[in-house]
Amino acid sequence: MRTSIASSVVPHVGRLVDRFSKELVDDIYRCSFKRQTGVSLKYMLDFGAQPIERQLLYSAQFLHKELPVRLAHRVAELENLPFGLHQKEQVAAVRNKYVESFQELRGFPVIKDMVDEKNFTSLIKHIMERHNNVVPMIARGVLELKSELAHESKWSLNDQPEIHQFLDGFYMSRIGIRMLIGQHVALHNPPRDGYIGQICTKVSPVDVARDAIDDARSICMRQLGDAPEVEIFGTPEFTFAYVPGHLHQMLFELVKNSLRALCDRYQDSDQLPPSVRVVIAEGTEDLTIKVSDEGGGIPRSGMPRIWTYLYSTAKSPLQEFDPSDEQGPVVLAGYGYGLPLSRLYARYFGGDLTVQSMDGYGTDAYLSLNRLGEIQEPLP
């Protein structure tokens, strides 16, 4: 039986000072003024190349100091959101998750040996699992605010840049926190050929694109009853160091959008829709992937909205979202988060995502990924 959200999943909504001790709240705000320390993909690769005990111990000590600072920054931000967003039940629940994780990390003793390191690794693994549903929980709160603003005819959420700036910063921080924890945890796993933690040193963009295309076409077929063809142009032998899951998520989103546009445009046509084209180009500094379609394009006036959160033409599943499902949704299809989140994933390691469209013809999306891996995390 599905648990009632109001009764047992979401805790009491209130200010930090009303729910937690003054000492804890003061500690959170002290840490929120400390500087965050960014790392680069190259640093993660070099550091994890020889995961000996000394390296793992140093990594745990770094995370023991760094993670509370990053969590404190987000708690302070969640506590002071505008338009009453901080009072939404799901947003308050996320804040409380972050406070709980902050408290556990601050209460963990100084890491001196490998016994401490092992216990700390178990703790941050648990914290990572606790935060699985953070994206849809925040999205649910934002959706409630969006509905209220529309109902009261005050403003459109798209007219509130501070909300989108918060979401960009919050989700970029989340990507970084999960990357740091995931990398540390993965270094404890049995070695995998070609991997350093969760970073693959020989990612084939063509192979990842094929998998993402298969997944996108499968969902398109299931939801729309059709799935146009997708052609790939690139060198299968080319590889570079990257996180395969990040690349898959970005390509899946871009291909899915193109397939949907084609299906919508050709649903009443006797003609077969033209193929989506995925072109992979190897530059000296960047790897660039272009995803092109002839799905009718986007009006110029509508282009800024594609980067706003909760902008989606698909039915949102957020109203049926169950926060008690700790696994979280497999794909954020229909949330209206796909493109802005994909751009954050690209920017996390120094890349970018841009979109150009010809209204009446089609859309080209350009995904640029830094090959050198020397750019530090863009911490909010």
Side-chain angles (χ1 to χ4, degrees):
M1 180 180 295
R2 176 168 292 187
T3 308
S4 168
I5 293 175
S7 63
S8 61
V9 175
V10 180
H12 173 71
V13 176
R15 307 298 294 187
L16 274 176
V17 293
D18 298 328
R19 286 195 48 79
F20 303 101
S21 69
K22 182 179 183 300
E23 292 77 14
L24 176 58
V25 174
D26 288 346
D27 194 25
I28 289 171
Y29 278 106
R30 273 195 301 269
C31 287
S32 74
F33 283 100
K34 293 182 179 179
R35 183 175 175 272
Q36 302 170 97
T37 304
V39 298
S40 66
L41 179 66
K42 186 176 186 301
Y43 178 83
M44 292 185 196
L45 284 169
D46 293 343
F47 185 86
Q50 298 291 332
I52 56 177
E53 287 190 354
R54 181 170 55 85
Q55 297 286 76
L56 294 174
L57 189 62
Y58 179 81
S59 173
Q61 291 167 342
F62 168 73
L63 293 178
H64 188 217
K65 292 181 179 179
E66 178 65 16
L67 290 177
V69 174
R70 296 198 183 193
L71 291 173
H73 276 256
R74 304 285 74 79
V75 171
E77 199 170 35
L78 286 164
E79 179 71 354
N80 295 287
L81 291 174
F83 308 113
L85 182 57
H86 66 280
Q87 296 175 332
K88 301 303 176 191
E89 288 183 336
Q90 295 298 312
V91 175
V94 169
R95 182 205 64 189
N96 293 345
K97 284 176 181 283
Y98 274 59
V99 171
E100 185 178 359
S101 298
F102 173 89
Q103 191 172 19
E104 289 177 351
L105 288 164
R106 292 290 281 174
F108 196 90
V110 175
I111 300 170
K112 299 178 180 179
D113 53 37
M114 292 307 295
V115 174
D116 294 338
E117 190 277 335
K118 182 179 179 182
N119 292 332
F120 180 76
T121 300
S122 297
L123 170 62
I124 60 175
K125 188 176 180 181
H126 174 68
I127 287 173
M128 192 172 179
E129 292 169 353
R130 175 188 293 143
H131 294 201
N132 275 346
N133 271 342
V134 160
V135 172
M137 288 176 74
I138 291 290
R140 175 75 173 266
V142 174
L143 180 62
E144 290 175 5
L145 176 63
K146 181 180 181 181
S147 300
E148 287 177 8
L149 293 177
H151 179 71
E152 296 172 8
S153 300
K154 288 184 178 180
W155 312 284
S156 165
L157 188 65
N158 295 336
D159 298 329
Q160 309 306 322
E162 54 265 61
I163 295 292
H164 296 286
Q165 289 167 7
F166 155 71
L167 291 170
D168 272 345
F170 183 86
Y171 289 134
M172 179 65 85
S173 174
R174 183 176 186 272
I175 291 170
I177 289 171
R178 295 183 77 81
M179 184 67 207
L180 291 181
I181 294 178
Q183 182 68 3
H184 181 83
V185 171
L187 289 174
H188 289 74
N189 297 333
R192 285 194 294 167
D193 186 40
Y195 276 81
I196 296 177
Q198 55 187 348
I199 303 168
C200 180
T201 58
K202 296 182 178 180
V203 173
S204 165
V206 170
D207 288 346
V208 176
R210 287 194 182 112
D211 290 341
I213 288 165
D214 288 345
D215 290 345
R217 293 188 77 237
S218 175
I219 283 186
C220 187
M221 182 68 74
R222 192 161 62 243
Q223 293 184 346
L224 303 176
D226 192 18
E229 295 295 326
V230 182
E231 298 178 275
I232 304 178
F233 301 88
T235 306
E237 293 76 23
F238 169 76
T239 61
F240 76 127
Y242 209 72
V243 181
H246 289 192
L247 181 56
H248 182 280
Q249 179 162 335
M250 292 182 284
L251 289 176
F252 168 84
E253 178 64 28
L254 296 177
V255 173
K256 175 177 66 68
N257 288 349
S258 289
L259 292 174
R260 184 177 182 86
L262 283 169
C263 287
D264 288 347
R265 190 182 193 192
Y266 285 86
Q267 62 180 346
D268 297 323
S269 174
D270 294 331
Q271 292 181 314
L272 287 175
S275 299
V276 176
R277 292 165 56 90
V278 177
V279 181
I280 301 170
E282 312 144 28
T284 54
E285 295 181 1
D286 286 349
L287 167 78
T288 303
I289 303 175
K290 180 174 74 169
V291 179
S292 302
D293 67 66
E294 298 174 35
I298 304 165
R300 190 156 55 93
S301 62
M303 285 298 292
R305 287 186 295 174
I306 69 174
W307 302 113
T308 60
Y309 292 88
L310 297 175
Y311 174 71
S312 176
T313 55
K315 179 184 177 183
S316 174
L318 284 170
Q319 297 294 355
E320 289 79 35
F321 163 66
D322 179 9
S324 65
D325 178 10
E326 295 188 356
Q327 294 302 313
V330 177
V331 176
L332 287 175
Y335 282 65
Y337 272 50
L339 271 181
L341 273 184
S342 294
R343 185 166 66 172
L344 294 182
Y345 273 104
R347 289 177 173 177
Y348 179 69
F349 282 130
D352 205 357
L353 173 61
T354 59
V355 174
Q356 295 183 351
S357 191
M358 296 175 65
D359 188 18
Y361 181 75
T363 302
D364 292 344
Y366 293 87
L367 176 61
S368 301
L369 304 175
N370 184 274
R371 288 183 60 179
L372 307 179
E374 296 174 339
I375 299 177
Q376 284 192 350
E377 305 168 89
L379 298 174

